[in-house]
């Protein structure tokens, strides 16, 4: 069986100004590379610094590419409806060239509803716009002529068509991704149906994986990335102490948005937000309950919404590499 790839993911949410956030995230990715991580993934968010600290992921990854050697660099995700698709195609082509072929391109249609408005879109238009933009990007990467016979993407980037990933919460989205031969990106947590609030994350995501695998064309290898929250520390007590403020803020935000959050302790929040927190043995026991991880080809770990310090994030990376990865890859 092919070894799973180990990934580090960041939304660039360190408690610092933007320039410091970018520096710290770069250090975290370099640290992950030194400790044997295969991939690093970054998110894109416009306008709302408390949700994500980076509007321009391809620009940032060009900076990271210059300071790394082997770790693959991915977007998780580019919110494609808000982008000029030809500019995305061009920027990705240049970045992949500069990074010696290390780029993985994750796309999604979602995002904060109000963020669509400055781009001349409504939230309801995102699905159709996403499909149109993805079609144009793939056409450009294939080398098709663009409006005029003389217009072709430069530098050419046909290789990127094999490294597209699609983020989705739904069976329908998984089927579309599979039929196109794309990779499937699964979220670290997911809303529960109103009539089944007790479902576990793998109970929600396994049907998505089933649909993806069933729809994948013959001869196309599956690519399934499962993102998970994992904060690993040297003791359970320390990990829980660090996790309490961040998870409490997440619970408060969920309640303010009208969602139900039961209980008022960090252990209540861990379960409801699908977080794996503690010393290595505790996190391993928790991850073992997640059957999706056995089916994934790639697993990426993020500390959000724990929001530990930079030092604690680096230590978590070390402990994942030493104590978690050997048992799950």
């Amino acid at each position: 069986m092919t070894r799973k790839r180990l990934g580090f993911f960041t939304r660039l949410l360190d408690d610092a100004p933007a320039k410091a956030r970018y520096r710290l995230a770069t250090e975290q990715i370099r640290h992950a590379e030194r400790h044997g991580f295969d991939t690093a993934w970054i998110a894109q968010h416009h306008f709302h610094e408390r949700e994500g600290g980076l509007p321009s992921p391809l620009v940032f990854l060009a900076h990271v590419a210059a300071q790394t050697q082997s770790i693959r660099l991915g977007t998780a995700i580019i919110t494609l409806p808000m982008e000029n698709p030809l500019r995305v195609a061009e920027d990705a082509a240049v970045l992949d060239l500069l990074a010696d072929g290390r780029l993985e391109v994750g796309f999604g249609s979602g995002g904060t509803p109000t963020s669509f408005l400055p781009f001349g879109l409504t939230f309801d238009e995102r699905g159709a716009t996403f499909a149109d933009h993805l079609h144009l990007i793939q056409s450009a990467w294939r080398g098709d002529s663009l409006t005029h016979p003389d217009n072709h993407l430069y530098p050419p980037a046909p290789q990127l068509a094999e490294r597209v990933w699609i983020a989705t919460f739904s069976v329908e989205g998984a089927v579309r991704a599979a039929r196109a031969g794309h990779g499937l990106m699964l979220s670290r947590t997911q809303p529960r149906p109103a009539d089944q609030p007790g479902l576990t994350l793998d109970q929600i995501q396994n049907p998505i994986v089933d649909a993806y695998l069933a729809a994948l064309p013959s001869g196309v290898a599956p690519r399934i990335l499962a993102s998970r929250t994992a904060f690993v520390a040297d003791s359970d007590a320390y990990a829980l102490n660090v996790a309490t403020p961040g998870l409490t803020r997440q619970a408060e935000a969920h309640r303010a948005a009208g969602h139900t959050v039961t209980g008022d302790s960090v252990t209540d929040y861990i379960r409801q937000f699908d977080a794996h927190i503690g010393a290595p043995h505790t996190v391993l026991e928790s991850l073992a309950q997640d059957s999706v991880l056995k089916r994934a080809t790639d697993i990426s770990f993020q500390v959000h919404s724990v929001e530990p310090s930079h030092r604690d994030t680096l230590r978590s990376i070390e402990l994942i590499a030493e104590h978690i990865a050997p048992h799950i890859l």
Side-chain angles (χ1 to χ4, degrees), residues 154-222:
Y154 184 85
Q159 73 283 358
L160 287 176
E162 306 299 318
R163 294 189 237 135
V164 173
W165 300 76
I166 304 297
T168 183
F169 277 178
S170 71
V171 165
E172 295 78 13
V175 169
R176 287 192 295 270
R179 288 174 176 169
H182 300 323
L184 173 68
M185 305 182 88
L186 300 172
S187 177
R188 67 188 173 99
T189 190
Q190 204 162 320
R192 271 46 173 182
D195 59 340
Q196 293 179 291
L199 286 181
T200 61
L201 183 61
D202 61 347
Q203 287 175 323
I204 294 173
Q205 292 187 341
N206 269 318
I208 298 173
V209 175
D210 291 340
Y212 173 78
L213 293 174
L216 206 62
S218 177
V220 176

Side-chain angles (χ1 to χ4, degrees), residues 61-97:
L61 286 181
H63 168 74
V64 175
Q67 300 191 49
T68 54
Q69 289 76 46
S70 61
I71 196 167
R72 303 193 65 76
L73 305 172
T75 58
I77 45 108
I78 293 173
T79 311
L80 194 52
M82 302 182 194
E83 299 293 327
N84 180 309
L86 285 178
R87 292 294 297 117
V88 171
E90 290 176 326
D91 287 350
V94 171
L95 172 53
D96 195 51
L97 193 66

Side-chain angles (χ1 to χ4, degrees), residues 32 37 48 70-71 84 93 98 127 164 212 264 267 279 313:
F37 280 63
H48 304 99
S70 61
I71 196 167
N84 180 309
L98 296 175
V164 173
Y212 173 78
D264 57 5
T267 51
T313 298

Side-chain angles (χ1 to χ4, degrees), residues 289-329:
Q289 306 305 310
D290 187 343
S291 60
V292 166
L293 300 185
K294 299 178 179 64
R295 311 179 73 187
T297 61
D298 295 68
I299 302 172
S300 69
F301 289 115
Q302 56 181 294
V303 295
H304 316 295
S305 293
V306 175
E307 315 308 351
S309 68
H310 176 60
R311 183 190 67 180
D312 287 332
T313 298
L314 296 181
R315 181 59 177 155
S316 183
I317 289 170
E318 295 168 4
L319 292 170
I320 288 172
E322 183 177 355
H323 298 288
I324 306 298
H327 300 280
I328 66 170
L329 300 184

